[in-house]
Amino acid sequence: MNVKIKLFQDYKQYHDTPEYELELPAGTTAGEIVRQLGIKGAELAYLILILKGKRVYDEYVLQDGDELVFAAPIGGG
């Protein structure tokens, strides 16, 4: 299956390009992609995974054609 990955903010440092596609075996979870990228520490603590405008978690099983977004909360004041 093919999944598109989009990296925003500090997560862009984890891959050569901020948007790319992966060919993955069926049953791959979002958490497996997080671990594959090597995201750790504070960036892992603040990571928000978004799919189709909704937050998903590590155990989400990716589907063919999914677009998984890696982002951090945005704050201001």
Side-chain angles (χ1 to χ4, degrees):
M1 72 175 171
N2 290 311
V3 173
K4 186 171 186 176
I5 306 296
K6 286 185 160 185
L7 305 170
F8 290 96
Q9 292 122 331
D10 292 339
Y11 302 104
K12 290 179 181 180
Q13 70 180 317
Y14 289 97
H15 196 268
D16 296 338
T17 58
E19 293 186 26
Y20 63 100
E21 288 193 22
L22 286 175
E23 187 170 329
L24 303 166
T28 301
T29 65
E32 289 176 82
I33 305 304
V34 172
R35 288 185 288 283
Q36 184 181 58
L37 288 171
I39 299 172
K40 298 177 184 167
E43 290 164 346
L44 179 59
Y46 291 109
L47 175 62
I48 296 174
L49 299 170
I50 303 167
L51 184 85
K52 299 176 187 169
K54 294 183 181 180
R55 187 173 187 174
V56 296
Y57 297 91
D58 285 358
E59 63 274 3
Y60 175 81
V61 178
L62 296 162
Q63 305 295 315
D64 187 46
D66 277 352
E67 182 176 281
L68 186 63
V69 175
F70 288 66
I74 298 175

